[in-house]
Amino acid sequence: MRPVIRPVITALSIGCCAVSLIAISLTPALAQATKQPPAAQQPAAATQPAVERPAPKQLTLTDKQIDSVLAAQKDLDAVTAKLPETAADKPDPKMIAQLEDVARKYGFASYAEYNEVVENISLVLNGFDPQSKKYVGPEAVIKQQITSVQADKKMPAKDKKEALAELNEALKSPPPVLENKGNIELVGKYYDKLSAAMQEEE
């Protein structure tokens, strides 16, 4: 499945994959299909600088939402598995409709609402230490990843240099402050299930 939620601190494959939410992430084109202006109104990709996704609207998560996200994963995977690589340019209306149907099947008002919940889960997971399974904050996780990369003697020098550059850049652009502290305990309760779902995808 192609991820949409790739917080900068989890975009690297450096052994700390447990803090990413690849398993319950979405396709960029489909997640934003109803929010973006028509392609004709957008600047050419070659001249348009990379723009970070805006911070998600922060929600107070519930057990039901997390259960529903996990339950919906298999059906969503079945839909997105058919997604061609060119879908970012021309989202398929039929596929979007299918994703909307799956989201509603699992209790979400829309696919956009599902995506919003996933973004909030990911926002919390970014601050979990995959070893202790405790919330330490995203900055601490990034620093742990930097230490891990620096100590990795098997990683090619070029890859290590790129990884460290991205991680150090991530420290300069931290994710938004977590507004709903209660989400930490809730996501922590489901940490193993979320991690297991992610590992199945990998």
Side-chain angles (χ1 to χ4, degrees), residues 99-122:
L99 291 172
E100 290 284 351
D101 288 343
V102 172
R104 284 191 283 268
K105 174 182 176 181
Y106 288 94
F108 296 98
S110 64
Y111 182 70
E113 182 184 339
Y114 168 87
N115 188 42
E116 197 168 61
V117 171
V118 170
E119 287 180 319
N120 275 265
I121 293 172
S122 185

Side-chain angles (χ1 to χ4, degrees), residues 1 15-16 20-21 29 32 44 54 81 131 141 164 169 180 191 202:
M1 210 178 145
C16 295
S20 71
L21 200 55
Q32 295 297 318
Q131 302 303 318
V141 172
L164 290 172
E169 188 63 30
N180 303 298
Y191 185 86
E202 294 180 344

Side-chain angles (χ1 to χ4, degrees), residues 93-198:
K94 291 183 179 179
M95 188 167 289
I96 294 174
Q98 289 175 11
L99 291 172
E100 290 284 351
D101 288 343
V102 172
R104 284 191 283 268
K105 174 182 176 181
Y106 288 94
F108 296 98
S110 64
Y111 182 70
E113 182 184 339
Y114 168 87
N115 188 42
E116 197 168 61
V117 171
V118 170
E119 287 180 319
N120 275 265
I121 293 172
S122 185
L123 186 63
V124 179
L125 279 180
N126 287 336
F128 270 83
D129 172 13
Q131 302 303 318
S132 66
K133 301 180 184 179
K134 302 293 185 183
Y135 186 85
V136 296
E139 184 176 342
V141 172
I142 297 173
K143 290 179 178 178
Q144 289 174 359
Q145 291 179 343
I146 290 174
T147 300
S148 177
V149 171
Q150 290 173 333
D152 190 341
K153 296 182 179 180
K154 296 181 180 180
M155 181 180 287
K158 181 181 178 181
D159 293 345
K160 180 176 288 192
K161 182 178 179 180
E162 291 177 357
L164 290 172
E166 288 191 39
L167 285 168
N168 280 301
E169 188 63 30
L171 279 177
K172 300 176 185 177
S173 304
V177 175
L178 196 60
E179 296 173 4
N180 303 298
K181 304 300 184 184
N183 288 349
I184 295 174
E185 182 178 353
L186 185 62
V187 170
K189 184 168 71 171
Y190 288 87
Y191 185 86
D192 288 337
K193 289 183 179 180
L194 293 169
S195 296
M198 180 200 66

Side-chain angles (χ1 to χ4, degrees), residues 48-67:
Q48 185 176 4
V51 178
E52 290 186 15
R53 284 172 53 90
K57 173 186 175 183
Q58 295 201 35
L59 310 172
T60 299
L61 295 170
T62 66
D63 289 270
K64 182 178 179 181
Q65 286 174 324
I66 296 179
D67 281 333

Side-chain angles (χ1 to χ4, degrees), residues 6-17:
R6 297 281 291 197
V8 68
I9 66 171
T10 62
L12 303 171
S13 298
I14 55 177
C16 295
C17 62

